[in-house]
């Protein structure tokens, strides 16, 4: 293991396709996604500050989670479906620059950009566009409002459920109580419509 590695650039890696065909080295034809060795990743976790792994058909980068010292990260043009798939990498406190464009998760630019801002505390640039302090403040305030609203809705639904459980519907008593069973003026309300004449 190269335990003092600071930068790793492995973009557009393609395995050699046995039997030739349309693929071959450096092509897209039938190649599998690049795979990282977990033990090697752990070995360079404390020194690596820059990782470029663009265009490698990556769908799962969970094995890269130990790389918490990254300052720049390029995972563009892969097959990452959701920002949550890369959140463990984004949460590093030194990460300032990230490239995710060209992934399915980046189809909605505004949404994925906001999620990156929320996930990466030190982020300064996303997909080549600067992240200004005003944008960070706006996104974080909006998220706080959403969380507050969700908490209020949850509390409201919880009160409704507990209220219904604690207070079953009862028929009102007549003024003065009456002489009937259970204090009702006559037969219990549940039987009033079924008297035998």
């Amino acid at each position: 293991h190269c335990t003092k590695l600071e930068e790793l650039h492995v973009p557009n890696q393609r395995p050699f396709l046995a039997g030739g065909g349309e693929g071959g080295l450096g092509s897209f034809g039938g190649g599998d996604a690049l795979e990282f060795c977990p033990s090697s990743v752990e070995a360079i976790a404390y020194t690596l500050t820059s990782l470029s792994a663009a265009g490698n058909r990556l769908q799962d980068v969970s094995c890269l989670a130990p790389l918490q010292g990254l300052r720049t990260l390029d995972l563009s043009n892969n097959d990452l479906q959701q920002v949550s798939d890369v959140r463990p990498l984004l949460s590093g406190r030194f990460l300032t620059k990230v490239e995710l464009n060209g992934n399915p998760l980046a189809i909605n630019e505004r949404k994925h950009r906001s999620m990156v801002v929320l996930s990466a505390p030190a982020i300064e640039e996303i997909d080549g566009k600067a992240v200004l302090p005003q944008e960070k403040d706006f996104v974080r305030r909006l998220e706080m409002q959403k969380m507050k609203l969700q908490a209020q809705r949850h509390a409201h639904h919880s009160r409704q459920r507990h209220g219904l459980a604690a207070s079953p519907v009862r028929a009102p008593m007549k003024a003065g109580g009456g002489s009937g069973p259970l204090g009702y003026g006559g037969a219990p309300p549940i039987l009033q419509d079924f008297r035998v004449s």
Side-chain angles (χ1 to χ4, degrees), residues 37-139:
C37 172
S39 59
S40 297
V41 170
E42 290 182 7
I44 60 176
Y46 296 103
T47 59
L48 197 70
T49 60
S50 179
L51 172 63
S52 174
N56 286 309
R57 294 185 174 178
L58 297 174
Q59 296 180 343
D60 181 8
V61 292
S62 57
C63 69
L64 300 177
L67 302 178
Q68 293 298 299
L70 289 178
R71 297 183 184 278
T72 63
L73 173 65
D74 185 358
L75 293 176
S76 57
N77 299 310
N78 281 294
D79 292 329
L80 300 168
Q81 301 294 318
Q82 301 177 14
V83 174
S84 58
D85 295 335
V86 283
R87 187 165 288 145
L89 267 176
L90 298 176
S91 62
R93 60 193 181 99
F94 303 109
L95 188 65
T96 58
K97 181 178 178 181
V98 66
E99 297 274 351
L100 293 172
N101 57 301
N103 285 285
L105 64 80
I107 292 175
N108 186 334
E109 180 185 5
R110 182 178 297 179
K111 183 176 180 180
H112 105 269
R113 187 176 174 89
S114 296
M115 293 184 71
V116 172
V117 168
L118 291 171
S119 303
I123 198 68
E124 296 176 1
E125 183 180 309
I126 301 172
D127 297 334
K129 297 180 182 178
V131 179
L132 301 178
Q134 298 94 314
E135 181 181 3
K136 285 186 180 182
D137 290 342
F138 174 78
V139 170

Side-chain angles (χ1 to χ4, degrees), residues 13 32 56 66 71 84 114 145 169-170 184:
Q13 302 296 307
D32 295 325
N56 286 309
R71 297 183 184 278
S84 58
S114 296
Q145 290 176 355
V169 178
R170 297 174 181 171
Y184 291 95

Side-chain angles (χ1 to χ4, degrees), residues 16 23 50 93 116-117 125 140 146 156 160 185 191:
F16 178 76
S50 179
R93 60 193 181 99
V116 172
V117 168
E125 183 180 309
R140 288 168 182 166
K146 285 170 61 178
H156 176 70
Q160 280 188 326
L191 300 177

